[in-house]
Amino acid sequence: MRLLLLRSSSICVAGLLLTACGVANGNTVISAATVAAKPLPAPISVSDTASTAALNSALIFNQEMLFAVNAARAQARKCGGRSMPAVAELTWNKQLQQAAFVHSTNMARYDFFSHTGLDGKEVSQRIRDQGYNWRSAGENISAGAADVATVMAGWLSSPGHCLNIMSANFTEMAAAVVTNNSTYYGSYWTQVFAAPF
């Protein structure tokens, strides 16, 4: 029997300042998993044929995730101690999807869990690498969840993740999950939120 392990983390980006969501004192906090004694591999490229095929075959997942996020945004809720009003629906963005897919794939391939990629890039750079010119951006990551309902329940019960989901600063989103059963968590989830200039 395999023990289900869940781990989540969230960050928000506004302008050029990178901060962790849910930090009461306003200090910049970025938690990163340490990858010890491993050389830093080059990140994968979404131009790989397998990556493109995986992105194209994810339509049902995309619809399920977008529906779950917009259903959450349609209701006022508390994110930790902060009351959040209902906010407008988000739309799916393929550039954000590619950024999420690249990050989830790299976490699954190299068995790490962090907002910072092994190449040192954060969500702001990953979405810019896909040609997306953002004015606000945020990211939720999780590991070990089996399905959209489970990962969304975890994110909505976590103040920082919930704030990202409920933020009126975002107008678009995408997400990806990549599974590698030979890794510690098995599944690696990335949700990316943004608003373009």
Side-chain angles (χ1 to χ4, degrees), residues 15-92:
L16 297 177
L17 176 65
L18 182 66
T19 61
C21 295
V23 177
N25 64 7
N27 292 333
T28 301
V29 176
I30 301 171
S31 61
T34 303
V35 180
K38 286 186 180 179
L40 296 181
I44 65 147
S45 166
V46 292
S47 62
D48 295 347
T49 303
S51 299
T52 302
L55 288 172
N56 291 334
S57 67
L59 182 59
I60 293 171
F61 168 80
N62 300 353
Q63 291 172 342
E64 185 180 0
M65 180 63 77
L66 183 61
F67 179 81
V69 169
N70 284 334
R73 289 171 64 89
Q75 300 175 16
R77 68 182 63 246
K78 279 206 176 262
C79 295
R82 186 169 170 193
S83 293
M84 299 297 290
V87 290
E89 288 188 348
L90 299 175
T91 57
W92 196 264

Side-chain angles (χ1 to χ4, degrees), residues 118-190:
L118 296 180
D119 58 2
K121 293 180 180 178
E122 301 283 343
V123 63
S124 58
Q125 185 59 50
R126 285 191 292 274
I127 63 177
R128 189 166 280 128
D129 286 350
Q130 299 304 323
Y132 190 97
N133 189 19
W134 58 271
R135 66 178 163 83
S136 63
E139 178 179 73
N140 289 341
I141 60 174
S142 184
D147 54 40
V148 170
T150 303
V151 78
M152 282 295 295
W155 281 332
L156 288 172
S157 68
S158 166
H161 299 96
C162 181
L163 288 170
N164 270 346
I165 292 168
M166 296 301 294
S167 176
N169 294 328
F170 303 135
T171 58
E172 298 177 316
M173 73 154 297
V177 60
V178 176
T179 301
N180 179 348
N181 291 328
S182 68
T183 61
Y184 187 75
Y185 293 108
S187 62
Y188 296 82
W189 299 75
T190 305

